[in-house]
Structure formats: structure tokens, C-alpha cells
Amino acid sequence: SQQGEEDPQALSIQEGENATMNCSYKTSINNLQWYRQNSGRGLVHLILIRSNEREKHSGRLRVTLDTSKKSSSLLITASRAADTASYFCATVSSGGSYIPTFGRGTSLIVHP
Amino acid sequence: GAGVSQSPSNKVTEKGKDVELRCDPISGHTALYWYRQSLGQGLEFLIYFQGNSAPDKSGLPSDRFSAERTGGSVSTLTIQRTQQEDSAVYLCASSRGTGHTGELFFGEGSRLTVL
């Protein structure tokens, strides 16, 4: 079953614009992770945010976490054509399971 | 090796045949995961290995699926009597496995096509 669900399913923007993707989940988490997947490739870890954190930055990436709303957002600033990929959130529950549960992903297209 | 290695990268088989998919995790990573990704879908958890503990097989879709991990390193996912609905990309990931799960390192996947 899917724990995290990303929104929107697809996003199309112009280079230079910001891209925002959201992830909602159902149960209490220990941490939430964002991954990127280029077409036909494996997933690459982008950023991990723990349940006691509210915001993290990494380069052009900004992740926020609102545990009261059970949601997270990934913001990519000043997007580039090379950012075109699918983005997935994965949640690790606080209930003792060590298995990250992935959503269906957001497909991002950045037009040059 | 530098990363997680999976083989074969592509496998085409006929319905009813058995297939084996291999995963070589990052050296020293105690946790190993198998996921399945169907076209345009998210990742479906299959099985999880942690050190010498009994694997968590709760995601295996049927008894045609099995996996083993030898010597705490290389893992093999076996699908017996393949069906067309088994067609997917099978992704393997490893992590350091200490405490709650941190970053997963993924292989490039094995694309399975069942004709």
C-alpha cells in the first residue's frame, strides 16, 4: 500500500521557474526522504528530513515537513532542463518498520 | 564496487519460465531491499534483509517469488513460473542499516519482460 502520495502527478514548467511538489502520508513517521529518478534509471537520494525537523536545504532544494498535517513539500528553485525527472517521497514509519514506503511520484518536465 | 550493481539489466522471458535477478550491494551495507516498479507507477516493496535477521517477506506478491541473501552480501530474487503481470523493473537498494532507515542507494534496476 502507498504511504506517501505525491501531488501533482505531473508538472510542466519553464527553465528558471520554481517547482513545488507535495507529499501527504497517513501514519506517524521517523523520517521522510525525497528521491529523484531519471527515465530508465535507478533512484537517487536527494534529502532526508526527520520528524523533529521542519525545514532542510540542499543547494537549490528546500524541503519542509508539517507533521500536524502529515505533509511535506519539495521546492526546486531556479529549475533547469536537467531537473527533468520523476520525484518520489518515501516515508519511514515510527512504528518500528525499517522499510521506506514510496509514493507514485511527480513527473517534472522543465522546458528549456 | 562503488555502487549497487544489478544484473541482468534487461531480461526477456517466456511465460512459465523461471528467472533470477541478482543484486550486489555496497560493501558494508547491512540492509538490502527489493522493490518492483511497474510502468509509470511508484515502488512496490517486495522483501527486506537486515544483517543475519530473518528477512521481511511481507511484500512478496505470491509464493512464486523468493529471495535469498548469501553471506550478508549478494542477493538473488527468483521468480518461478513467470506471468505477464510480473513484467516490471525490479530495483534493489542497500543502506547502512544502523538505527532507523536513512538514505537508500539504488541500483539501475533489472527490466523484466514476460512474453
Side-chain angles (χ1 to χ4, degrees):
Chain A
S1 64
Q2 305 290 59
Q3 159 74 312
E5 290 294 339
E6 292 88 346
D7 170 67
Q9 289 187 339
L11 183 59
S12 181
I13 59 175
Q14 295 295 129
E15 233 177 5
E17 295 180 339
N18 296 340
T20 300
M21 289 158 267
N22 303 296
C23 171
S24 59
Y25 57 91
K26 295 184 175 68
T27 61
S28 295
I29 60 170
N30 173 273
N31 69 71
L32 184 146
Q33 304 173 30
W34 285 92
Y35 288 81
R36 164 194 169 126
Q37 183 180 39
N38 286 77
S39 181
R41 307 295 297 273
L43 279 74
V44 174
H45 183 267
L46 295 176
I47 201 162
L48 180 153
I49 187 165
R50 302 193 185 281
S51 59
N52 61 351
E53 297 175 312
R54 292 296 167 258
E55 187 170 312
K56 285 189 84 169
H57 297 256
S58 177
R60 295 183 294 113
L61 304 181
R62 172 179 166 242
V63 168
T64 61
L65 179 65
D66 187 334
T67 52
S68 67
K69 294 181 180 177
K70 292 187 167 58
S71 69
S72 173
S73 67
L74 170 66
L75 168 68
I76 304 174
T77 60
S79 63
R80 304 167 183 168
D83 294 328
T84 294
S86 292
Y87 292 82
F88 294 87
C89 70
T91 53
V92 177
S93 87
S94 58
S97 169
Y98 295 94
I99 300 164
T101 305
F102 287 79
R104 298 184 193 277
T106 292
S107 175
L108 172 66
I109 297 175
V110 181
H111 299 279
Chain B
V4 177
S5 177
Q6 290 189 246
S7 62
S9 54
N10 277 286
K11 175 73 176 179
V12 180
T13 190
E14 293 179 347
K15 178 181 170 182
K17 302 274 188 175
D18 298 352
V19 296
E20 284 191 351
L21 307 176
R22 176 188 167 109
C23 173
D24 202 339
I26 292 172
S27 178
H29 280 191
T30 60
L32 186 148
Y33 307 78
W34 282 99
Y35 289 88
R36 177 168 74 173
Q37 185 176 32
S38 300
L39 188 63
Q41 298 296 310
L43 275 69
E44 175 190 4
F45 165 73
L46 297 177
I47 189 167
Y48 162 60
F49 295 89
Q50 171 57 276
N52 295 321
S53 302
D56 182 330
K57 304 178 182 180
S58 59
L60 295 178
S62 78
D63 58 8
R64 296 186 295 104
F65 288 73
S66 63
E68 62 177 21
R69 189 178 184 191
T70 53
S73 180
V74 172
S75 176
T76 302
L77 177 68
T78 301
I79 308 173
Q80 295 178 311
R81 305 180 301 283
T82 52
Q83 304 293 313
Q84 287 182 333
E85 60 262 29
D86 299 335
S87 296
V89 176
Y90 289 81
L91 291 163
C92 175
S94 68
S95 73
R96 292 185 180 88
T98 54
H100 264 98
T101 302
E103 175 181 359
L104 265 60
F105 295 80
F106 281 85
E108 294 291 304
S110 291
R111 180 177 297 278
L112 174 66
T113 303
V114 182
L115 302 177

